[in-house]
Short mmCIF file of all heavy atoms in Angstrom, two decimals:
data_model
loop_
_atom_site.label_atom_id
_atom_site.label_comp_id
_atom_site.label_asym_id
_atom_site.label_seq_id
_atom_site.Cartn_x
_atom_site.Cartn_y
_atom_site.Cartn_z
N MET A 1 81.64 120.05 85.33
CA MET A 1 82.09 119.26 84.22
C MET A 1 82.07 117.78 84.56
O MET A 1 82.97 117.05 84.21
CB MET A 1 83.49 119.69 83.80
CG MET A 1 83.59 121.13 83.40
SD MET A 1 84.17 121.57 81.79
CE MET A 1 85.14 120.30 81.14
N GLY A 2 81.06 117.34 85.29
CA GLY A 2 80.93 115.93 85.62
C GLY A 2 80.09 115.20 84.59
O GLY A 2 79.63 115.76 83.61
N LEU A 3 79.93 113.94 84.83
CA LEU A 3 79.10 113.13 83.95
C LEU A 3 77.64 113.26 84.36
O LEU A 3 77.31 113.05 85.52
CB LEU A 3 79.52 111.66 84.02
CG LEU A 3 80.88 111.30 83.44
CD1 LEU A 3 81.17 109.84 83.67
CD2 LEU A 3 80.94 111.61 81.97
N GLY A 4 76.81 113.55 83.40
CA GLY A 4 75.39 113.62 83.66
C GLY A 4 74.72 112.32 83.27
O GLY A 4 75.35 111.37 82.80
N ALA A 5 73.42 112.26 83.44
CA ALA A 5 72.66 111.06 83.14
C ALA A 5 72.77 110.66 81.66
O ALA A 5 72.96 109.47 81.36
CB ALA A 5 71.20 111.24 83.54
N PRO A 6 72.65 111.59 80.72
CA PRO A 6 72.76 111.18 79.31
C PRO A 6 74.12 110.56 78.96
O PRO A 6 74.18 109.58 78.21
CB PRO A 6 72.56 112.48 78.53
CG PRO A 6 71.85 113.39 79.44
CD PRO A 6 72.29 113.02 80.82
N GLU A 7 75.19 111.10 79.52
CA GLU A 7 76.51 110.54 79.25
C GLU A 7 76.66 109.14 79.82
O GLU A 7 77.23 108.25 79.20
CB GLU A 7 77.61 111.46 79.81
CG GLU A 7 77.75 112.77 79.07
CD GLU A 7 76.82 113.85 79.59
OE1 GLU A 7 76.11 113.61 80.58
OE2 GLU A 7 76.81 114.94 78.99
N ILE A 8 76.15 108.95 81.04
CA ILE A 8 76.24 107.63 81.67
C ILE A 8 75.44 106.61 80.88
O ILE A 8 75.89 105.47 80.67
CB ILE A 8 75.78 107.72 83.14
CG1 ILE A 8 76.78 108.56 83.94
CG2 ILE A 8 75.67 106.32 83.76
CD1 ILE A 8 76.36 108.85 85.36
N ILE A 9 74.25 106.98 80.44
CA ILE A 9 73.42 106.07 79.64
C ILE A 9 74.14 105.71 78.34
O ILE A 9 74.15 104.55 77.93
CB ILE A 9 72.04 106.70 79.37
CG1 ILE A 9 71.26 106.78 80.68
CG2 ILE A 9 71.27 105.90 78.33
CD1 ILE A 9 69.98 107.56 80.58
N LEU A 10 74.77 106.68 77.70
CA LEU A 10 75.51 106.43 76.47
C LEU A 10 76.68 105.48 76.71
O LEU A 10 76.92 104.56 75.91
CB LEU A 10 76.02 107.75 75.89
CG LEU A 10 76.73 107.67 74.55
CD1 LEU A 10 75.78 107.17 73.47
CD2 LEU A 10 77.28 109.02 74.17
N ILE A 11 77.37 105.63 77.82
CA ILE A 11 78.48 104.74 78.15
C ILE A 11 77.97 103.33 78.39
O ILE A 11 78.58 102.35 77.93
CB ILE A 11 79.26 105.28 79.38
CG1 ILE A 11 79.99 106.56 79.00
CG2 ILE A 11 80.23 104.23 79.93
CD1 ILE A 11 80.58 107.30 80.18
N ILE A 12 76.87 103.19 79.10
CA ILE A 12 76.30 101.86 79.37
C ILE A 12 75.89 101.18 78.07
O ILE A 12 76.16 99.98 77.87
CB ILE A 12 75.10 101.98 80.35
CG1 ILE A 12 75.61 102.36 81.73
CG2 ILE A 12 74.33 100.67 80.41
CD1 ILE A 12 74.53 102.70 82.72
N ILE A 13 75.28 101.92 77.17
CA ILE A 13 74.87 101.34 75.88
C ILE A 13 76.10 100.91 75.09
O ILE A 13 76.11 99.83 74.49
CB ILE A 13 74.01 102.35 75.09
CG1 ILE A 13 72.66 102.51 75.77
CG2 ILE A 13 73.83 101.90 73.65
CD1 ILE A 13 71.80 103.62 75.21
N ALA A 14 77.14 101.73 75.09
CA ALA A 14 78.37 101.37 74.37
C ALA A 14 78.99 100.11 74.94
O ALA A 14 79.44 99.23 74.20
CB ALA A 14 79.35 102.54 74.43
N VAL A 15 79.02 99.98 76.27
CA VAL A 15 79.59 98.79 76.90
C VAL A 15 78.76 97.56 76.54
O VAL A 15 79.32 96.50 76.23
CB VAL A 15 79.68 98.97 78.43
CG1 VAL A 15 79.97 97.66 79.13
CG2 VAL A 15 80.73 100.01 78.78
N LEU A 16 77.44 97.69 76.55
CA LEU A 16 76.57 96.56 76.19
C LEU A 16 76.80 96.14 74.74
O LEU A 16 76.83 94.95 74.43
CB LEU A 16 75.10 96.92 76.41
CG LEU A 16 74.63 96.88 77.85
CD1 LEU A 16 73.20 97.42 77.96
CD2 LEU A 16 74.69 95.48 78.40
N LEU A 17 76.97 97.11 73.86
CA LEU A 17 77.20 96.78 72.46
C LEU A 17 78.57 96.12 72.25
O LEU A 17 78.70 95.21 71.43
CB LEU A 17 77.09 98.03 71.59
CG LEU A 17 75.68 98.60 71.42
CD1 LEU A 17 75.74 99.92 70.67
CD2 LEU A 17 74.79 97.61 70.69
N LEU A 18 79.57 96.58 72.97
CA LEU A 18 80.92 96.04 72.80
C LEU A 18 81.07 94.64 73.39
O LEU A 18 81.67 93.77 72.79
CB LEU A 18 81.95 96.97 73.44
CG LEU A 18 82.22 98.27 72.71
CD1 LEU A 18 83.13 99.17 73.54
CD2 LEU A 18 82.85 98.02 71.35
N PHE A 19 80.55 94.44 74.57
CA PHE A 19 80.80 93.20 75.29
C PHE A 19 79.62 92.24 75.31
O PHE A 19 79.79 91.06 75.55
CB PHE A 19 81.24 93.49 76.73
CG PHE A 19 82.51 94.26 76.81
CD1 PHE A 19 82.52 95.58 77.21
CD2 PHE A 19 83.71 93.66 76.49
CE1 PHE A 19 83.70 96.29 77.29
CE2 PHE A 19 84.90 94.37 76.57
CZ PHE A 19 84.89 95.68 76.96
N GLY A 20 78.43 92.72 75.09
CA GLY A 20 77.25 91.86 75.16
C GLY A 20 76.82 91.63 76.59
O GLY A 20 77.56 91.85 77.54
N GLY A 21 75.61 91.18 76.76
CA GLY A 21 75.04 90.99 78.10
C GLY A 21 75.67 89.87 78.89
O GLY A 21 75.70 89.91 80.11
N LYS A 22 76.19 88.84 78.20
CA LYS A 22 76.72 87.68 78.92
C LYS A 22 78.13 87.93 79.46
O LYS A 22 78.53 87.32 80.44
CB LYS A 22 76.74 86.47 78.00
CG LYS A 22 75.37 85.99 77.63
CD LYS A 22 75.40 84.76 76.78
CE LYS A 22 73.99 84.32 76.43
NZ LYS A 22 73.99 83.12 75.61
N LYS A 23 78.88 88.82 78.84
CA LYS A 23 80.26 89.06 79.27
C LYS A 23 80.36 90.02 80.44
O LYS A 23 81.34 90.01 81.18
CB LYS A 23 81.08 89.63 78.11
CG LYS A 23 81.49 88.63 77.09
CD LYS A 23 82.59 87.78 77.65
CE LYS A 23 83.22 86.96 76.56
NZ LYS A 23 84.28 86.13 77.08
N ILE A 24 79.37 90.86 80.64
CA ILE A 24 79.46 91.89 81.69
C ILE A 24 79.58 91.29 83.09
O ILE A 24 80.43 91.74 83.86
CB ILE A 24 78.28 92.87 81.57
CG1 ILE A 24 78.47 93.67 80.28
CG2 ILE A 24 78.21 93.81 82.77
CD1 ILE A 24 77.37 94.62 79.97
N PRO A 25 78.80 90.26 83.46
CA PRO A 25 79.01 89.67 84.79
C PRO A 25 80.41 89.12 84.98
O PRO A 25 81.00 89.24 86.06
CB PRO A 25 77.96 88.56 84.88
CG PRO A 25 76.90 88.98 83.92
CD PRO A 25 77.61 89.69 82.82
N GLU A 26 80.98 88.52 83.92
CA GLU A 26 82.35 88.01 84.02
C GLU A 26 83.34 89.16 84.23
O GLU A 26 84.27 89.03 85.02
CB GLU A 26 82.71 87.24 82.76
CG GLU A 26 81.91 85.98 82.55
CD GLU A 26 82.20 85.33 81.21
OE1 GLU A 26 83.25 85.62 80.61
OE2 GLU A 26 81.38 84.51 80.79
N LEU A 27 83.14 90.25 83.52
CA LEU A 27 84.03 91.41 83.68
C LEU A 27 83.92 91.99 85.09
O LEU A 27 84.94 92.34 85.70
CB LEU A 27 83.68 92.49 82.65
CG LEU A 27 84.00 92.16 81.20
CD1 LEU A 27 83.39 93.22 80.28
CD2 LEU A 27 85.49 92.07 80.98
N MET A 28 82.71 92.10 85.61
CA MET A 28 82.52 92.64 86.96
C MET A 28 83.11 91.71 88.00
O MET A 28 83.70 92.18 88.99
CB MET A 28 81.02 92.86 87.25
CG MET A 28 80.39 93.95 86.41
SD MET A 28 81.14 95.54 86.67
CE MET A 28 81.85 95.84 85.08
N ARG A 29 82.99 90.39 87.81
CA ARG A 29 83.57 89.43 88.75
C ARG A 29 85.08 89.59 88.75
O ARG A 29 85.72 89.61 89.82
CB ARG A 29 83.17 88.01 88.34
CG ARG A 29 83.59 86.96 89.34
CD ARG A 29 83.09 85.55 88.95
NE ARG A 29 81.67 85.55 88.67
CZ ARG A 29 81.14 85.30 87.46
NH1 ARG A 29 81.92 85.05 86.44
NH2 ARG A 29 79.83 85.30 87.29
N GLY A 30 85.69 89.71 87.58
CA GLY A 30 87.13 89.89 87.49
C GLY A 30 87.58 91.19 88.15
O GLY A 30 88.60 91.24 88.82
N MET A 31 86.80 92.24 87.95
CA MET A 31 87.14 93.52 88.57
C MET A 31 87.04 93.42 90.09
O MET A 31 87.90 93.94 90.81
CB MET A 31 86.20 94.63 88.07
CG MET A 31 86.60 96.01 88.53
SD MET A 31 85.47 97.34 88.10
CE MET A 31 85.14 97.07 86.41
N GLY A 32 86.03 92.74 90.58
CA GLY A 32 85.86 92.55 92.02
C GLY A 32 87.02 91.77 92.62
O GLY A 32 87.51 92.10 93.69
N GLN A 33 87.46 90.73 91.91
CA GLN A 33 88.58 89.94 92.40
C GLN A 33 89.86 90.78 92.41
O GLN A 33 90.68 90.65 93.33
CB GLN A 33 88.77 88.69 91.53
CG GLN A 33 87.66 87.68 91.72
CD GLN A 33 87.75 86.52 90.74
OE1 GLN A 33 88.49 86.58 89.76
NE2 GLN A 33 86.99 85.47 91.00
N GLY A 34 90.02 91.62 91.40
CA GLY A 34 91.20 92.48 91.36
C GLY A 34 91.21 93.48 92.51
O GLY A 34 92.25 93.71 93.14
N ILE A 35 90.06 94.07 92.79
CA ILE A 35 89.96 95.03 93.89
C ILE A 35 90.22 94.33 95.23
O ILE A 35 90.91 94.86 96.09
CB ILE A 35 88.59 95.72 93.88
CG1 ILE A 35 88.49 96.63 92.66
CG2 ILE A 35 88.35 96.50 95.16
CD1 ILE A 35 87.10 97.19 92.42
N LYS A 36 89.68 93.11 95.38
CA LYS A 36 89.89 92.35 96.61
C LYS A 36 91.37 92.03 96.80
O LYS A 36 91.91 92.19 97.89
CB LYS A 36 89.08 91.06 96.60
CG LYS A 36 89.17 90.27 97.89
CD LYS A 36 88.32 89.01 97.81
CE LYS A 36 88.34 88.22 99.08
NZ LYS A 36 89.62 87.93 99.64
N ALA A 37 92.04 91.62 95.73
CA ALA A 37 93.46 91.30 95.81
C ALA A 37 94.27 92.56 96.17
O ALA A 37 95.22 92.49 96.96
CB ALA A 37 93.95 90.72 94.49
N PHE A 38 93.90 93.69 95.58
CA PHE A 38 94.59 94.95 95.90
C PHE A 38 94.43 95.29 97.37
O PHE A 38 95.39 95.65 98.05
CB PHE A 38 94.03 96.07 95.02
CG PHE A 38 94.58 97.42 95.34
CD1 PHE A 38 95.84 97.79 94.90
CD2 PHE A 38 93.85 98.32 96.11
CE1 PHE A 38 96.36 99.03 95.20
CE2 PHE A 38 94.36 99.56 96.40
CZ PHE A 38 95.62 99.93 95.95
N ASN A 39 93.20 95.19 97.88
CA ASN A 39 92.95 95.52 99.29
C ASN A 39 93.67 94.55 100.22
O ASN A 39 94.17 94.96 101.27
CB ASN A 39 91.46 95.53 99.58
CG ASN A 39 90.78 96.75 99.01
OD1 ASN A 39 91.40 97.79 98.83
ND2 ASN A 39 89.50 96.64 98.70
N ASP A 40 93.72 93.26 99.85
CA ASP A 40 94.44 92.29 100.67
C ASP A 40 95.93 92.63 100.73
O ASP A 40 96.56 92.57 101.79
CB ASP A 40 94.26 90.87 100.12
CG ASP A 40 92.85 90.35 100.34
OD1 ASP A 40 92.09 90.94 101.14
OD2 ASP A 40 92.48 89.34 99.68
N GLY A 41 96.50 93.00 99.58
CA GLY A 41 97.91 93.38 99.54
C GLY A 41 98.17 94.63 100.37
O GLY A 41 99.19 94.73 101.06
N LYS A 42 97.26 95.58 100.30
CA LYS A 42 97.41 96.81 101.08
C LYS A 42 97.35 96.51 102.57
O LYS A 42 98.14 97.05 103.35
CB LYS A 42 96.30 97.79 100.68
CG LYS A 42 96.44 99.16 101.29
CD LYS A 42 95.41 100.13 100.72
CE LYS A 42 94.03 99.72 101.17
NZ LYS A 42 93.01 100.72 100.90
N THR A 43 96.46 95.62 102.97
CA THR A 43 96.33 95.24 104.38
C THR A 43 97.59 94.53 104.86
O THR A 43 98.07 94.80 105.97
CB THR A 43 95.10 94.34 104.57
OG1 THR A 43 93.94 95.03 104.12
CG2 THR A 43 94.91 93.96 106.04
N GLU A 44 98.13 93.63 104.02
CA GLU A 44 99.36 92.93 104.41
C GLU A 44 100.52 93.90 104.55
O GLU A 44 101.34 93.77 105.45
CB GLU A 44 99.69 91.86 103.36
CG GLU A 44 98.75 90.68 103.37
CD GLU A 44 99.03 89.70 102.26
OE1 GLU A 44 100.07 89.84 101.58
OE2 GLU A 44 98.21 88.79 102.06
N LYS A 45 100.60 94.87 103.65
CA LYS A 45 101.68 95.86 103.73
C LYS A 45 101.55 96.69 104.99
O LYS A 45 102.54 96.94 105.69
CB LYS A 45 101.63 96.77 102.51
CG LYS A 45 102.70 97.82 102.50
CD LYS A 45 102.58 98.74 101.29
CE LYS A 45 103.58 99.85 101.39
NZ LYS A 45 103.33 100.89 100.39
N ASP A 46 100.32 97.11 105.34
CA ASP A 46 100.10 97.89 106.55
C ASP A 46 100.48 97.07 107.79
O ASP A 46 101.07 97.61 108.73
CB ASP A 46 98.64 98.34 106.65
CG ASP A 46 98.30 99.40 105.62
OD1 ASP A 46 99.22 100.01 105.03
OD2 ASP A 46 97.08 99.61 105.38
N ALA A 47 100.15 95.77 107.78
CA ALA A 47 100.49 94.92 108.92
C ALA A 47 102.01 94.76 109.03
O ALA A 47 102.56 94.75 110.14
CB ALA A 47 99.83 93.55 108.77
N ALA A 48 102.69 94.65 107.90
CA ALA A 48 104.15 94.50 107.93
C ALA A 48 104.81 95.77 108.43
O ALA A 48 105.83 95.72 109.14
CB ALA A 48 104.66 94.15 106.53
N ILE A 49 104.25 96.92 108.10
CA ILE A 49 104.81 98.19 108.55
C ILE A 49 104.63 98.34 110.06
O ILE A 49 105.53 98.82 110.74
CB ILE A 49 104.17 99.36 107.79
CG1 ILE A 49 104.62 99.35 106.33
CG2 ILE A 49 104.51 100.69 108.44
CD1 ILE A 49 103.92 100.36 105.46
N LYS A 50 103.52 97.89 110.59
CA LYS A 50 103.25 98.03 112.03
C LYS A 50 104.15 97.13 112.86
O LYS A 50 104.40 97.40 114.03
CB LYS A 50 101.79 97.71 112.32
CG LYS A 50 100.86 98.81 111.85
CD LYS A 50 99.41 98.49 112.19
CE LYS A 50 98.48 99.58 111.67
NZ LYS A 50 97.09 99.26 111.94
N GLU A 51 104.62 96.03 112.26
CA GLU A 51 105.49 95.09 113.02
C GLU A 51 106.84 95.60 113.18
O GLU A 51 107.57 96.27 113.29
CB GLU A 51 105.56 93.74 112.31
CG GLU A 51 104.27 93.01 112.34
CD GLU A 51 104.37 91.67 111.59
OE1 GLU A 51 105.43 91.36 111.02
OE2 GLU A 51 103.38 90.97 111.57
#
C-alpha cells in the first residue's frame, strides 16, 4: 500500500498547479532551513545531556 509512480506524478502536478514553478524553490529552501534548525537543536540537546 505504498505510493507508486502514478500517485507521485499526480502529487507533483498538484503541487505545481497550487504553488507554481517559482514558489517551489522558496518552499524547499524554507524546508531545508527548518530541518537544519531541528538537527542543530537535537545536537545541542545531545551535547547538554552528555555534560
Side-chain angles (χ1 to χ4, degrees):
M1 301 238 336
L3 291 177
E7 290 86 4
I8 293 173
I9 292 171
L10 184 63
I11 292 170
I12 290 171
I13 290 172
V15 168
L16 283 173
L17 289 174
L18 288 173
F19 297 109
K22 293 183 180 180
K23 283 286 192 180
I24 292 177
E26 294 174 19
L27 291 171
M28 293 299 115
R29 187 176 308 114
M31 187 185 313
Q33 290 173 347
I35 292 171
K36 184 179 182 309
F38 175 79
N39 286 333
D40 289 345
K42 187 173 67 169
T43 302
E44 289 175 9
K45 180 182 175 191
D46 290 344
I49 290 173
K50 287 182 182 178
E51 291 179 357

